[in-house]
Amino acid sequence: MDLRHFRNIDGLQLTLEAPRLLVIGSNGQGKSNLLEGVELLTSLRSHRCSVDRDLIGHGHPWSRLGALTDEADSLQLELRRSGGRQAFRNGKRLERQLDLIGPLRCVGFSALDLDLVRGEPALRRQWLDRVVLQLEPVYGALLSRYGRLLRQRSQLLRRGLGAGTRQELLEAFDQQMALVGARLHRRRQRALRRLEPLAAAWQQRIGGAGEPLRLDYISGTVLAEASDEEGPWRQALEEQLRQQRPEEERLGQCQVGPHRDEVALLIGGQAARRYGSAGQQRTLVLALKLGELELVGQVVGQPPLLLLDDVLAELDPGRQQLLLEAVGDGHQCLVSATHLEAFSTGWRARSQVVELRSGALVA
């Protein structure tokens, strides 16, 4: 693993010598940055930041992330303040950055994820998008394309064009948004259906049989009848875009589509956001993450890399122990913490331990 000019990490080289890496250090020393770099390299996305220039070290024009897999696959991602990203695999520049995803898959769990239940719908959409991206890397291209269409269509709604010209352009945008939006809807719904029984099983194990978990996909496009086919989604979205057009022109923004999706998290049939205690909400998020870890492993055919970013401090001792036991020896994991006392003697004995200070490894 090699990070250059990434946030506060000016230069760091690290070889993983054990299935578990414990990254120890005080707050603000770069632990989360290290794990974020791994997440970015393996998924092309960060759960902490959406603007590349904020990831590049102060005073530097570029940042570089690199890794060498167990199969001797060399992966590299360059971020630039001007000129965009460039991805390389085995020294060859990739035409599609998505082709960097595959040799390594990861599931991340950070303290920020504990706001998944209480936070706004956008947080749950972003979480579900990260799940789908690990299952189907092509999903990243669909997300980017839909985001561009949404921005351009919203700009068009606010522009002072002639009525006829604007309506013609909106018709063309609606057809494209309906096509891409339908594909996003289907993939989100399909992933949530596959995740639900796995997460529900973990919820029962952690929280008990009296707190069954249910995940409901609430689409931003209304279907007359449930469907797994692309056609009905596409037709419904295009028709609703057309019907909503007068209201959207008044508001200057799009009112239907995947950007309006919601994921309802229910415990015992009740909305966890409103009725769940703090402990129940933490249990639910832990069940979601363990279910996600299991699902990605099933689909990909090998256990994904697990990133635990300072999350143990947010869990009570019982949930800490359950999480560490669930990980077991079956997953390679990178764990950040402020001190080693959070881990049992056995866990420490089978782990590689490094300390970070001011973005650098302490010798």
Side-chain angles (χ1 to χ4, degrees):
M1 189 183 310
D2 188 358
L3 279 69
R4 303 286 173 180
H5 311 320
F6 183 74
R7 290 199 182 265
N8 77 327
I9 300 175
D10 194 52
L12 184 151
Q13 288 184 309
L14 180 63
T15 300
L16 300 184
E17 301 170 348
R20 302 163 178 169
L21 175 70
L22 308 184
V23 184
I24 306 301
S26 302
N27 292 328
Q29 300 305 307
K31 305 187 305 297
S32 295
N33 296 342
L34 173 57
L35 270 62
E36 181 184 25
V38 176
E39 177 188 35
L40 187 61
L41 185 61
T42 57
S43 68
L44 300 179
R45 291 177 179 268
S46 163
H47 73 282
R48 301 169 71 204
C49 180
S50 59
V51 182
D52 280 358
R53 63 176 175 269
D54 293 338
L55 300 170
I56 300 172
H58 181 69
H60 295 283
W62 54 268
S63 175
R64 183 181 299 127
L65 312 171
L68 186 66
T69 71
D70 290 341
E71 289 73 30
D73 231 346
S74 174
L75 311 176
Q76 191 175 93
L77 181 66
E78 289 187 1
L79 314 177
R80 300 181 178 184
R81 292 192 184 276
S82 60
R85 295 180 177 184
Q86 289 189 355
F88 300 84
R89 186 167 177 179
N90 297 325
K92 181 180 179 181
R93 181 180 174 182
L94 300 175
E95 293 297 325
R96 299 192 318 159
Q97 294 178 25
L98 286 171
D99 292 335
L100 197 66
I101 301 177
L104 291 175
R105 305 287 178 96
C106 80
V107 170
F109 187 10
S110 78
L112 296 176
D113 288 315
L114 294 173
D115 288 329
L116 196 59
V117 179
R118 298 187 296 267
E120 296 301 312
L123 289 177
R124 290 179 285 280
R125 285 195 297 271
Q126 292 163 9
W127 159 72
L128 183 55
D129 285 339
R130 290 197 297 271
V131 175
V132 182
L133 186 63
Q134 292 299 318
L135 305 178
E136 304 180 64
V138 70
Y139 184 75
L142 290 173
L143 271 179
S144 297
R145 185 179 173 191
Y146 184 81
R148 288 194 299 271
L149 287 169
L150 182 63
R151 289 191 297 272
Q152 292 167 355
R153 187 178 186 275
S154 297
Q155 291 170 358
L156 180 59
L157 288 168
R158 295 189 290 267
R159 286 173 63 184
L161 297 175
T165 300
R166 183 161 62 177
Q167 295 305 314
E168 290 179 5
L169 290 173
L170 285 171
E171 286 288 345
F173 269 106
D174 289 355
Q175 292 175 9
Q176 288 298 308
M177 287 187 67
L179 172 64
V180 181
R183 292 174 179 174
L184 293 180
H185 278 316
R186 290 181 63 239
R187 283 168 170 81
R188 283 177 174 175
Q189 182 185 62
R190 183 168 57 202
L192 203 65
R193 284 179 177 174
R194 299 180 73 174
L195 176 63
E196 183 180 42
L198 302 176
W202 280 108
Q203 171 71 21
Q204 187 172 16
R205 177 177 171 184
I206 304 169
E211 299 180 344
L213 169 64
R214 195 174 87 230
L215 309 177
D216 284 352
Y217 177 66
I218 304 173
S219 170
T221 302
V222 180
L223 281 184
E225 297 180 4
S227 176
D228 291 326
E229 300 298 322
E230 181 179 308
W233 283 108
R234 183 176 178 179
Q235 293 170 12
L237 181 49
E238 189 169 354
E239 178 61 27
Q240 286 163 50
L241 285 169
R242 190 175 296 113
Q243 292 174 354
Q244 290 284 332
R245 193 175 299 166
E247 180 69 5
E248 291 179 344
E249 288 180 317
R250 185 181 69 83
L251 296 173
Q253 60 184 12
C254 184
Q255 297 295 297
V256 295
H259 62 289
R260 307 282 290 187
D261 283 354
E262 168 67 298
V263 179
L265 309 175
L266 308 173
I267 301 176
Q270 300 291 322
R273 182 180 183 183
R274 294 183 180 180
Y275 302 106
S277 66
Q280 287 175 318
Q281 292 176 354
R282 278 171 164 73
T283 296
L284 190 157
V285 175
L286 183 54
L288 289 178
K289 284 297 175 178
L290 291 171
E292 179 184 345
L293 189 69
E294 192 173 349
L295 176 60
V296 174
Q298 288 179 1
V299 173
V300 176
Q302 59 182 13
L305 184 66
L306 177 62
L307 309 177
L308 298 177
D309 184 16
D310 211 22
V311 74
L312 295 179
E314 301 292 335
L315 300 175
D316 60 54
R319 291 184 179 89
Q320 286 182 17
Q321 190 61 31
L322 188 86
L323 175 58
L324 296 178
E325 288 176 357
V327 173
D329 294 317
H331 297 83
Q332 186 170 40
C333 55
L334 280 66
V335 188
S336 71
T338 55
H339 50 79
L340 279 174
E341 286 69 23
F343 307 95
S344 67
T345 304
W347 240 78
R348 279 179 275 175
R350 298 193 298 274
S351 303
Q352 177 184 356
V353 180
V354 299
E355 183 179 354
L356 269 186
R357 189 180 301 158
S358 299
L361 293 174
V362 177

